[in-house]
Amino acid sequence: MNFNGFLDDDSSGAGASKLLSDVPFNNHFSFPASTTMLGTTTASSHHSLISHSRPFSSPGLSLGLQTNVETNGEICRNGEVFESNATRRSRGEDLESRSESDNAEAVSGDDLDTSDKPPRKKKRYHRHTPKQIQDLESVFKECAHPDEKQRLDLSRRLNLDPRQVKFWFQNRRTQMKTQIERHENALLRQENDKLRAENMSVREAMRNPMCGNCGGPAVIGEISMEEQHLRIENSRLKDELDRVCALTGKFLGRSTGSHHIPDSALVLGVGVASGGCNGGGFTLSSPSMPQASPRFEISNGTGSGLATVNVSDFDQRSRYLDLALAAMDELVKMAQTREPLWVRNSDTGFQVLNQEEYDTSFSRCVGPKPDGFVSEASKETGTVIINSLALVETLMDSERWAEMFPCMISRTSTAEIISSGMGGTRNGALHLMHAEIQLLSPLVPVRQVSFLRFCKQHAEGVWAVVDVSIDSIREGSSSSCRRLPSGCLVQDMANGYSKVTWIEHTEYDENRIHRLYRPLLSCGLAFGAQRWMAALQRQCECLTILMSSTVSPSRSQTPISCNGRKSMLKLAKRMTDNFCGGVCASSLQKWSKLNVGNVDEDVRIMTRKSVDNPGEPPGIVLNAATSVWMPVSPRRLFDFLGNERLRSEWDILSNGGPMKEMAHIAKGQDHSNSVSLLRASAINANQSSMLILQETSIDTAGAVVVYAPVDIPAMQAVMNGGDSAYVALLPSGFAILPNAQAVNQERNNGNNGMGGCMEEGGSLLTVAFQILVNTLPTAKLTVESVETVNNLISCTVQKIKAALHCDST
C-alpha cells in the first residue's frame, strides 16, 4: 500500500512506530513523566500512533503522554518541541497533490518497514515540459480515452514513459470531471441561496405580520395559518429542487446521487439553462398554494407558455429522454464511422449499412425487429446553401420542416414539446412529432410514424438532429414502419454553406409495397438518405434564388410585381400540395377510396366533397391515379411533359395546338425548376383562351410536373399581388422516379448514379387527375363519371408512349 510519501520523511520514525505497536499495554505499564525521547520524529510517531489508538484506562500511561503546552501548531512536552499533526497533514497533502506518474516513482511501502537501514535518497519528480503538455492537450481534445496503441505512439513522440502518458490522461479526465461537477454544484448552490433568501424574507415578514385590509397588526390566528402555508411551500420547494437535480442529471448523462424524484404533488418549471452546450442551471417557478392535482409544468424556454402534464406522465417523459439520448449517441457514432459499418453497394454504389456489423456494434434502442419487416439504411453527405442554425430551426419546426420537403411530407404535427432547448437555443430541444411520409405513387402506402426529434449542439457550428420511433416505449403503439435512429449532422462551412451528413434507417412491412416499387425502396431512392439530401439541396437553392433581390423573371412576357411573384408562388405551392395529397391519399384531404369492378387494380379511384372551400370549386371531386413503367429516361420524359410546345401531343386541354408561356418564375439554377403561366391558343374566335398554372421541378432523385386550369381574371389579380387563397383550382400532373435498374446500370458503368439515373434507363411514371364531376356536393357519384376518369388516364398514358415511340407493352 502506497501512502504517497506520507511516511517517507524518516524511516526511523516508521520503525519506532512499529516497535511501539509491538509492546503490549496493560494497567501496570506507563511512561515516567521524566522520560526523554530520542528525537522529534520518534516522539511525533509515538504521539500519532497513540492518538489514533483506542482509549486506555491506565493512569500511568495517561500521565506519561500528557501534553503540557500547545502553541502555534507545535506541541511542547518536557521542554522539547514536537511537530503537530496539522503540519504533518499539510506535508502529506502536498505530496498527494502530485500526479500519479510522480507517485509511481516514489518510495514503495516495503522500504518503510526496514527501520535498521539508512533512509533512501528521494527521487526527483518528473515535470512535463510545456511542449509535452501542449501536445497532450491537443490529443486530449480529440480523444479523451486513447487506447494502448495511441498511448505508445504518444510516449515515443514525447519521450515519455507509457505509464506517464496513461496517468496524465487519467488525471486530466479527473480534472475535467471535477470542473464540471464544481460548475454544477455552483449552479445548485445558487438555487439553494435563492430559496434560502426567500425563506429568510418570509421569516422576516412573519415576525411583523400586517393585515392586508386595514394595515394594522395581524391577529395570532392569521399568523398560524400563514405559517402552515409557508411550511407546505417550503416542502414543495425542496421537492422541486430534487426534481431539477434529477432532470439535470438525465440531460448531462450522469447520476445525481442522493437526489430522487418524490411522489408528492408539485409544480416544476424548467426554465432557460445557462452555460454552454452540455450543462447549465434551471430556474424554478414557485406557486404560492399547493395544487389540487399532481402535475408539473415544463417551460418552453422562449417565454411562450408552459405545458402542463400529470405527474404520472413523468416516468413516460423520462423514458422519452433516455430513448432520445441513446438515439443521439447512435446517430453520431454511425455518422462518424465508415467501413466496415458502411459499405458501398456493388449494384448502386450508395453507402448502405452492414447489418452484421451494426448488430455487433449497437444495441437496438427500439426493440427487436417485428416479423415480416425488412431494414433499409443509407447514408449520404453533401453541401447545402444554408447555415446550421437555420437548418436546425427548420427541422425543429414541424410546419417549416414540411415546407422544406413538400413532395415527401404530406402531413406533420408536433404532439408535445418535452423540452424546447437551453439558453434560448435549440440545444437540448426534444419534441414528440407525428408525420406522414409519402412517395408519389398510389402503389406505395404512406408511412405514418410517431417519433421523438432531439436536437443537440456538439461544438461551435456543429449540430445534430435525430429521430427515433416511440413504438418500443409506448404501449399499444404499432405501425407498418418504424424509424430507427435517423437524422443529420450539420457543420458550418464558409459562405453560408453547411456540410450535411444524412442517415436514414427504417424498418417497414415489405408485403404492403407493390412489386414494381420494391427495388426502388431497397436501393434507397424512395425514402433513403439520397432522396432527402437531393430534396434539401433543391429546396435551399430555390429559397436562395427567390430571396435574392437581383433575380427577375427574364422570360416573362407579362410583367409581374414583387408581390405578384409571391402570390403566384404561394398559389403554385398550394396546387402542388393538393396534387401530392391526391396521389398518396393524404388524411388531410379526407379521400374515400372507391372499389370499381371494371377499373384496373393498379388504378386508384377516390372521391371527396368540396364544401365552403374558397380554394376549390364546390361539388364532388374525383381523383384517379396510377403508376406505370416507361422505357425512357426520367430526364427525357420530364422534358417532354414540361415542354409547352409539345403539350398538344398528350393534353386534351391544349385545344389541339401548342401553348405559349406568358410568365415564368425561376426556382433553381436548372431552368426546369420554375413556376410558369401557360396560355392555350383558341381554335376560333368563339372559343375563349385558357390559362394553365404549371410548376416543374427536378433533382437527382426525381421530378414532378403539376398543372391546373385557372380563371383569367383571378390570375390577373394574383399577378398584381392579390390574395391567391380564393383562386379555385383542381391540380393534375405527373411524378417521375428513376428505375432502380437504371441506377444499377449506371453505377456498373462507373457513372454518378444519382445524376446518371435521371439521364439513362427506364422511369416509373405516376399519372394523376382531379376532376369536378358534379357541382352539387349532395349529388351521387355515377359509374359513368368513374369510367370517364379511368379512360382519361389510359388515353393520356397511351398518347405519351406513342409520342415517345415507346413499345405499347
Side-chain angles (χ1 to χ4, degrees), residues 609-663:
K609 295 181 180 181
S610 177
V611 181
D612 298 332
N613 188 352
E616 289 181 346
I620 299 179
V621 179
L622 198 63
N623 183 93
T626 187
S627 296
V628 295
W629 179 81
M630 300 289 291
V632 294
S633 67
R635 184 74 202 198
R636 182 187 174 191
L637 184 58
F638 172 77
D639 291 339
F640 170 76
L641 295 175
N643 192 338
E644 67 275 5
R645 294 186 297 271
L646 303 176
R647 196 180 187 95
S648 59
E649 298 187 25
W650 59 268
D651 188 7
I652 62 175
L653 298 178
S654 62
N655 295 330
M659 288 191 174
K660 185 178 181 180
E661 187 178 61
M662 304 300 298

Side-chain angles (χ1 to χ4, degrees), residues 69-133:
V69 181
E70 299 183 6
T71 58
N72 296 329
E74 296 181 352
I75 304 177
C76 303
R77 184 171 58 84
N78 296 333
E80 296 182 4
V81 181
F82 295 86
E83 185 181 12
S84 67
N85 289 337
T87 307
R88 290 177 55 82
R89 282 194 300 270
S90 64
R91 182 178 302 172
E93 293 172 355
D94 177 66
L95 293 177
E96 289 179 349
S97 64
R98 302 181 186 270
S99 65
E100 296 186 23
S101 60
D102 299 337
N103 296 338
E105 299 176 1
V107 181
S108 63
D110 297 338
D111 296 334
L112 301 178
D113 297 334
T114 56
S115 59
D116 54 345
K117 295 182 180 181
R120 296 175 59 182
K121 184 178 180 180
K122 291 193 293 185
K123 295 183 180 181
R124 296 182 60 185
Y125 293 100
H126 176 75
R127 299 294 183 185
H128 300 323
T129 64
K131 181 63 170 60
Q132 291 172 337
I133 295 177

Side-chain angles (χ1 to χ4, degrees), residues 490 569 597 722:
V490 190
L569 290 171

Side-chain angles (χ1 to χ4, degrees), residues 595-617:
N595 295 321
V596 184
N598 57 350
V599 176
D600 187 72
E601 61 179 4
D602 291 339
V603 178
R604 183 168 61 190
I605 306 294
M606 299 182 300
T607 183
R608 61 184 174 88
K609 295 181 180 181
S610 177
V611 181
D612 298 332
N613 188 352
E616 289 181 346

